[in-house]
Amino acid sequence: MVKSTQLWGFAAAAVFTFSDASADDIDHRLFSINGFGTVGAARSSERQADFTSTVFKPNGTGFTRRWSPDVDSRLGVQLSANVTENLSAVLQVVSEQRHDNTYTPTVEWANIKYGVTPDLAIRVGRIASPTFLAADYRKVGNAIPWVRPPLEVYNLSPVSNSDGADLTYRTAVGNVSHSIQIYLGQKDFVARDNVSGTARDAIGISDVFEYGQTSGRISYQRGQLTLGILEPFFDTFRQFGPRGTAIADRYSGNNKRYDLMSIGATYDPGAWFATTEWAKVITRSWLGNKTAWYVGGGYRFGQFTPFAIYSTIRSNSRTSDPGLSVASLPASAASTANALNNGLSSILGFSAIQHTVSVGARWDITKNVDLKVQYDRTAMADGSPGVLFNTQAGFEKGGQINVLSVTLDFVF
Amino acid sequence: MRMINKISRRLASVVFALGAGAAYADVVVIVSSKSPIAALTTEQVSNIYLNKRKNSESVPPLVPIDAPGDSHIREDFYRKVTGMSPSQLTSYWSKLIFTSRGYPPREAVNDEAVKRMIAEHSNLIGYVDARFIDPSVKVVLVLK
């Protein structure tokens, strides 16, 4: 007769005796797969225009749809390979609504990393652009306290990756740790309405610093930006003598140097957190120069975290231009010049100038799944459509809109 | 019959040895008894487990080992050492994994394996229930 205590003892002995010693003890894998995703729905109060989260999406909520799942829904899968202790490779593919209105998966990034020392590494390939605090993980909803990073700041540079190489270096100076990244690359992109563009000779530096409960990032990037879409329009100005040529050169989007700088920080003592970011872009073209910033915070009540954000963007460049002088022109030329001047005013005035107040809450349902609800109230400056697009005949610039968003994020 | 009695007596002593330590419910952070490290602060252990680069010349680099994902000791350890809930930890690691800036510690296949690995390698650090301490490992931090 075997007593139950003896059975229990036998089981314990089995653990000690039959388990293998070293190799199987650690979960050691050559490949690992991780992923993230968001299922979302957003509803804008403005029915005569669309609202969405990036310039790469061709439609959104408001005019095209009452509730749009395309604003925030996405799925990302990342495959990492640890080839040797120093060499690793990563491939991340993301499926989200893109410029052609499909969810065709695209390579978000793909690079090979070589660790020269434990603190110094080189990467070659498609690399995430570290332009803002959360820029390199802006698509990972689980890592962000709110539904989406504030658009006023993050749409200053909507491009999330570039092709090239970078160097990363980790160090600490006293109690401050730094993770410095220097990168160069280029990017070809296609935005909504098939507007294509390139960024060339982009070079940038970013420092992620951490001191106690404060962490943040300072970054700077410059490059040459070309947006072909309005070039035929500006070329028409060149028929109008030196003044016309000067206007064309000033506003042309062809191969213009841009500067993008930002600084952001988060203070997180545990029960609550506050984040602020400031960013500025100088484009030297019709895109203009802009400054944007936001401040946001939240308080953790167990698994429930309500939050609020204030974000704003303003233009630092002229939003109108006197254009060509019409008085001295013959009638037919004058009407063309008037049309060009009106077009120029319209383009410059299209600058997104607005501020948004957001309130919402995040509920961490399990450790890998969270649900967020966010209400944004956006006030646009007179004459500005803000970030709205697909504007219809009945649309009036300026004024206010509300957007209600619900998102479910998960990681695996 | 005598054979079974002999085995069962030996097994009983194993059970007794395990049961003797049941009075402790503390989580302890351990390194190999061969390691030169005597003690660590909570902050030092937190930095090691969260893959944070800090100036710690006095501490040789240690590779952290996690208890299995479903073990209760893991959640307890992280709350006490980092102050973070499992959800906060997931968000923390999401930022690092999906920017390729870092990966979470390797997981051992069970609690016994944690202790065995730590005992055998002086460059590893782990955490176990205080019941599992034996002379092959050294306690560098006790978490209450």
Side-chain angles (χ1 to χ4, degrees):
Chain A
M1 188 79 73
V2 179
K3 291 201 191 126
S4 55
T5 50
Q6 288 164 334
L7 279 174
W8 199 92
F10 181 77
V15 170
F16 278 91
T17 320
F18 295 106
S19 300
D20 193 8
S22 47
D24 293 338
D25 282 337
I26 284 187
D27 202 9
H28 194 110
R29 286 186 225 142
L30 170 62
F31 288 105
S32 55
I33 294 186
N34 298 90
F36 58 88
T38 300
V39 177
R43 180 193 186 280
S44 165
S45 63
E46 173 58 67
R47 305 308 306 275
Q48 297 299 316
D50 275 341
F51 167 87
T52 191
S53 52
T54 79
V55 301
F56 300 111
K57 294 175 185 287
N59 56 56
T61 167
F63 170 69
T64 300
R65 269 198 190 85
R66 186 107 235 194
W67 281 94
S68 170
D70 303 315
V71 177
D72 300 298
S73 300
R74 68 187 80 87
L75 177 68
V77 178
Q78 177 168 311
L79 180 69
S80 320
N82 289 310
V83 182
T84 74
E85 199 183 310
N86 295 342
L87 193 65
S88 61
V90 69
L91 171 68
Q92 188 186 105
V93 175
V94 174
S95 168
E96 57 185 341
Q97 187 201 32
R98 32 177 258 172
H99 65 95
D100 57 6
N101 204 29
T102 70
Y103 274 73
T104 308
T106 52
V107 174
E108 183 66 28
W109 41 306
N111 57 72
I112 294 172
K113 178 174 180 177
Y114 179 71
V116 179
T117 76
D119 293 322
L120 180 68
I122 296 173
R123 287 189 295 190
V124 175
R126 179 163 291 178
I127 297 161
S129 300
T131 45
F132 307 116
L133 199 55
D136 40 359
Y137 54 89
R138 65 170 89 193
K139 300 188 183 185
V140 184
N142 177 274
I144 296 164
W146 15 85
V147 160
R148 62 186 82 86
L151 301 182
E152 283 82 357
V153 170
Y154 282 71
N155 279 356
L156 289 181
S157 175
V159 169
S160 56
N161 55 47
S162 66
D163 299 330
D166 78 354
L167 197 80
T168 50
Y169 179 59
R170 299 203 301 175
T171 185
V173 178
N175 284 334
V176 185
S177 72
H178 295 273
S179 183
I180 297 163
Q181 183 180 354
I182 299 172
Y183 61 100
L184 45 93
Q186 62 182 44
K187 175 76 184 171
D188 295 339
F189 57 86
V190 183
R192 70 171 68 105
D193 303 327
N194 271 323
V195 171
S196 64
T198 70
R200 288 279 179 274
D201 303 327
I203 183 164
I205 182 166
S206 141
D207 177 20
V208 173
F209 58 87
E210 195 173 327
Y211 173 66
Q213 292 159 328
T214 303
S215 62
R217 169 179 258 158
I218 303 175
S219 78
Y220 170 73
Q221 183 189 113
R222 68 184 247 203
Q224 300 293 126
L225 182 69
T226 296
L227 267 179
I229 184 176
L230 292 177
E231 294 316 289
F233 171 74
F234 287 117
D235 282 342
T236 317
F237 275 88
R238 297 181 192 281
Q239 301 167 12
F240 288 83
R243 173 81 189 130
T245 304
I247 291 174
D249 287 343
R250 181 195 199 107
Y251 295 110
S252 158
N254 186 26
N255 198 30
K256 287 293 182 68
R257 152 106 177 261
Y258 69 89
D259 296 283
L260 175 66
M261 61 210 82
S262 77
I263 176 165
T266 297
Y267 178 65
D268 188 345
W272 60 277
F273 61 90
T275 302
T276 184
E277 278 194 80
W278 175 95
K280 186 181 183 79
V281 69
I282 298 168
T283 67
R284 302 176 181 78
S285 74
W286 58 270
L287 288 165
N289 307 333
K290 304 187 220 287
T291 303
W293 60 271
Y294 74 86
V295 59
Y299 199 97
R300 296 186 180 100
F301 295 98
Q303 297 291 88
F304 187 70
T305 308
F307 59 80
I309 318 167
Y310 173 81
S311 60
T312 179
I313 178 172
R314 67 169 196 276
S315 175
N316 305 120
S317 51
R318 46 174 69 184
T319 49
S320 66
D321 189 295
L324 300 166
S325 112
V326 178
S328 52
L329 294 173
S332 58
S335 69
T336 307
N338 269 324
L340 287 177
N341 286 345
N342 289 337
L344 182 61
S345 287
S346 172
I347 288 163
L348 295 180
F350 218 72
S351 185
I353 301 172
Q354 63 179 46
H355 68 257
T356 301
V357 175
S358 309
V359 293
R362 169 175 169 154
W363 174 30
D364 287 292
I365 303 172
T366 74
K367 70 174 175 145
N368 287 349
V369 179
D370 65 84
L371 178 73
K372 298 169 190 159
V373 177
Q374 181 171 319
Y375 177 80
D376 304 313
R377 190 169 185 84
T378 297
M380 291 162 282
D382 288 341
S384 171
V387 293
L388 299 176
F389 63 105
N390 277 351
T391 55
Q392 302 303 306
F395 176 71
E396 288 170 18
K397 295 185 203 172
Q400 284 189 344
I401 64 160
N402 314 319
V403 177
L404 180 66
S405 312
V406 182
T407 56
L408 184 77
D409 306 309
F410 55 91
V411 289
F412 58 89
Chain B
M1 186 54 91
R2 225 181 303 147
M3 180 66 119
I4 293 173
N5 281 338
K6 208 170 166 185
I7 291 171
S8 63
R9 245 180 283 133
R10 196 165 292 161
L11 294 175
S13 71
V14 170
V15 174
F16 182 78
L18 289 176
Y24 297 108
D26 290 342
V27 177
V28 292
V29 181
I30 54 172
V31 295
S32 169
S33 51
K34 295 178 266 178
S35 166
I37 296 164
L40 291 173
T41 65
T42 310
E43 194 192 330
Q44 285 172 317
V45 174
S46 176
N47 289 340
I48 292 166
Y49 270 86
L50 294 179
N51 198 10
K52 292 195 186 191
R53 171 69 168 85
K54 296 284 186 208
N55 259 344
S56 46
E57 309 89 356
S58 55
V59 182
L62 289 168
V63 176
I65 302 295
D66 255 343
D70 52 1
S71 69
H72 78 92
I73 199 179
R74 182 154 152 173
E75 178 173 339
D76 202 30
F77 167 78
Y78 277 104
R79 273 194 204 271
K80 286 176 177 164
V81 166
T82 69
M84 290 204 261
S85 68
S87 309
Q88 283 172 276
L89 274 168
T90 304
S91 295
Y92 174 82
W93 285 116
S94 294
K95 281 182 212 167
L96 296 183
I97 292 170
F98 296 112
T99 57
S100 204
R101 270 187 257 157
Y103 289 88
R106 292 189 186 155
E107 250 180 47
V109 297
N110 56 44
D111 295 319
E112 298 308 317
V114 174
K115 191 193 72 89
R116 189 166 35 253
M117 290 310 299
I118 303 307
E120 286 171 12
H121 302 277
S122 59
N123 68 328
L124 298 183
I125 183 170
Y127 53 89
V128 290
D129 191 306
R131 275 179 284 181
F132 292 125
I133 304 165
D134 66 27
S136 67
V137 296
K138 190 193 317 181
V139 174
V140 291
L141 181 65
V142 177
L143 303 169
K144 300 253 166 252

